[in-house]
Each structure stands twice: as structure tokens, then as C-alpha cells.
Amino acid sequence: FQSRFNLLNFTLPSNEQVKRIFQTLFSQKLSDFDHEIKSLEESVTNATLEMYKRVGEEFLPIPAKSHYLFNLRDISKIFQGIFRADKNFFDTKDVMLRLWIHECFRVFHDRLNDLEDRKRFKDIITEQLKIYFDISWKHICPNDHPIFVDFANESLKDISPYEEVTDFNKLKSVLETFLEDFNLTPGNISMDLVLFKDAIE
């Protein structure tokens, strides 16, 4: 029966190959950015690969956490988010690093359903900030981990820039407005949602 099929087997690329792929793509993305941000090309790539490695090693799937499965697509998702950065809105090293933190949180942290795991994740990313960027968590994120969206700036609706949220209450208000508009649209089934902090993030 198997003779009717073609069997293909692909080996996983080495760490150096993965690094070369993503660093090349990232370098092309940063070609129009200021030199300060261009200098992050290698360190962001290395830090992302290390985050992927550490998360895969420390957060293993068990019956209660069967969704703790991580693969190369997760690295790709982080860079896809970073690639949404516009040079007109990302002009400092710190804001680019906060975007990297945001993407790591969305890809990895959002899957963690245990408070201890989430605390451990924050410890891991804090370590990477120190190792690869020589910067502390408190310096780069004085309040809480950053959030980036492309719909909160109502004055720039035509271009919808992907930018950092500086006013969490404003973000909540925007989302509540979207929810209200959805509920008032004929044909839609009304959703009575409570937009608490974790849900908004």
C-alpha cells in the first residue's frame, strides 16, 4: 500500500542555519532604520533563538499542559511581529527591544497557564536582556511588560501604525467601543464580555 505514496523526510536545520535564515531576513528589514536599531540585528536573533531553546527545555508538555509544544514556527511568529515595525515609529533601541519583549510574551507567555511558569518565563527573558543587550528589565519595562497594537491610535486610522500602548485605560476604552459596535451590528450575536487585563493582553 505504501508503494503508492512518495515519502519525504526533512531533517531539522542546525542552529547556525536557523540563525542565518532569520538574521538575513531581519537585516533586510532593518536596512532603512537608524544605525542604533540596525546594531540589534545579531543580538535580537541570538536572544530569540535562546528564548526558544530555553522555553522548549523548561516548559515541557504534561497531561495538564499538553499544549506546551513549541517549534520553529514560534520563532517565525516573533519575527513576523517585529517585521511590522515602521521606521517612523521605531527610532530608538529601547522601543525596538520592548517590541521584541511584547512578541515573546504573545508567542510564549500567553500559552503558559500556571503562575509559576509565567514567573519563570519572566526570569528567563530578564536573563536574556542582561546577556544579549546588557540592560535590566526595570530599565526597559519600568511598569509592566509592553503591549503593541495597530488599532489604538484613532488619529492615524489610515496608516494603522503598529505602536506601543502607553495608556492601558485608553486601550481598554477602544476595545469596549469595538465590542459595543459589534453588539449593535444587525446580524451579529451579542457578546457580553468582561475585558479584564489578561483578556486585553
Side-chain angles (χ1 to χ4, degrees), residues 182-197:
F182 177 87
N183 290 338
L184 293 176
T185 300
N188 288 343
I189 298 176
S190 180
M191 299 188 297
D192 187 17
L193 302 179
V194 177
L195 297 177
F196 52 91
K197 186 174 183 292

Side-chain angles (χ1 to χ4, degrees), residues 22-58:
F22 286 105
Q23 187 170 330
T24 299
L25 294 172
F26 196 31
S27 176
Q28 293 175 349
K29 169 62 182 180
L30 298 182
S31 60
D32 294 333
F33 284 71
D34 293 340
H35 177 73
E36 181 185 10
I37 294 181
K38 286 182 181 179
S39 65
L40 295 173
E41 168 194 318
E42 183 174 7
S43 54
V44 166
T45 304
N46 287 335
T48 303
L49 296 181
E50 184 64 21
M51 283 297 301
Y52 166 70
K53 176 185 175 184
R54 293 285 300 278
V55 166
E57 291 174 347
E58 302 205 21

Side-chain angles (χ1 to χ4, degrees), residues 154-170:
E154 298 178 349
S155 63
L156 298 172
K157 286 185 178 180
D158 292 337
I159 57 176
S160 300
Y162 196 48
E163 58 183 346
E164 185 175 5
V165 173
T166 56
D167 186 341
F168 190 83
N169 290 328
K170 179 181 177 182

Side-chain angles (χ1 to χ4, degrees), residues 14 23 38 52 54 61 64 78-79 89 92 94 124 126 129 135 137 148 153 163 170 175 180 184 186 195 200:
S14 66
Q23 187 170 330
K38 286 182 181 179
Y52 166 70
R54 293 285 300 278
I78 291 174
F79 279 100
F89 297 90
T92 67
D94 284 0
I124 293 173
T126 299
L129 287 170
I135 199 168
W137 174 270
F148 286 76
N153 195 332
E163 58 183 346
K170 179 181 177 182
L175 291 174
E180 183 180 358
L184 293 176
L195 297 177
I200 292 174

Side-chain angles (χ1 to χ4, degrees), residues 21-200:
I21 291 169
F22 286 105
Q23 187 170 330
T24 299
L25 294 172
F26 196 31
S27 176
Q28 293 175 349
K29 169 62 182 180
L30 298 182
S31 60
D32 294 333
F33 284 71
D34 293 340
H35 177 73
E36 181 185 10
I37 294 181
K38 286 182 181 179
S39 65
L40 295 173
E41 168 194 318
E42 183 174 7
S43 54
V44 166
T45 304
N46 287 335
T48 303
L49 296 181
E50 184 64 21
M51 283 297 301
Y52 166 70
K53 176 185 175 184
R54 293 285 300 278
V55 166
E57 291 174 347
E58 302 205 21
F59 304 112
L60 301 175
I62 60 174
K65 304 171 183 178
S66 58
H67 61 288
Y68 279 21
L69 298 172
F70 307 97
N71 54 52
L72 293 178
R73 284 194 296 269
D74 296 314
I75 300 176
S76 178
K77 290 175 184 176
I78 291 174
F79 279 100
Q80 285 176 7
I82 295 175
F83 288 173
R84 298 181 67 188
D86 187 310
K87 66 178 181 179
N88 296 315
F89 297 90
F90 291 79
D91 54 0
T92 67
K93 174 182 176 180
D94 284 0
V95 71
M96 184 60 81
L97 287 182
R98 285 197 292 272
L99 174 60
W100 175 75
I101 292 170
H102 165 80
E103 297 303 334
C104 287
F105 265 77
R106 298 290 73 81
V107 172
F108 296 128
H109 182 272
D110 285 356
R111 274 192 257 176
L112 307 179
N113 58 0
D114 183 278
L115 291 178
E116 282 299 316
D117 289 347
R118 293 188 170 197
K119 181 179 182 300
R120 180 59 189 145
F121 176 84
K122 186 175 177 181
D123 291 340
I124 293 173
I125 201 168
T126 299
E127 292 172 14
Q128 306 316 308
L129 287 170
K130 186 63 178 177
I131 293 171
Y132 291 100
F133 309 106
D134 192 26
I135 199 168
S136 69
W137 174 270
K138 288 185 178 180
H139 173 81
I140 200 71
C141 303
N143 299 316
D144 200 353
H145 63 265
I147 299 175
F148 286 76
V149 299
D150 62 358
F151 54 80
N153 195 332
E154 298 178 349
S155 63
L156 298 172
K157 286 185 178 180
D158 292 337
I159 57 176
S160 300
Y162 196 48
E163 58 183 346
E164 185 175 5
V165 173
T166 56
D167 186 341
F168 190 83
N169 290 328
K170 179 181 177 182
L171 173 62
K172 182 178 180 181
S173 176
V174 170
L175 291 174
E176 288 174 342
T177 300
F178 287 160
L179 179 60
E180 183 180 358
D181 290 344
F182 177 87
N183 290 338
L184 293 176
T185 300
N188 288 343
I189 298 176
S190 180
M191 299 188 297
D192 187 17
L193 302 179
V194 177
L195 297 177
F196 52 91
K197 186 174 183 292
D198 285 350
I200 292 174

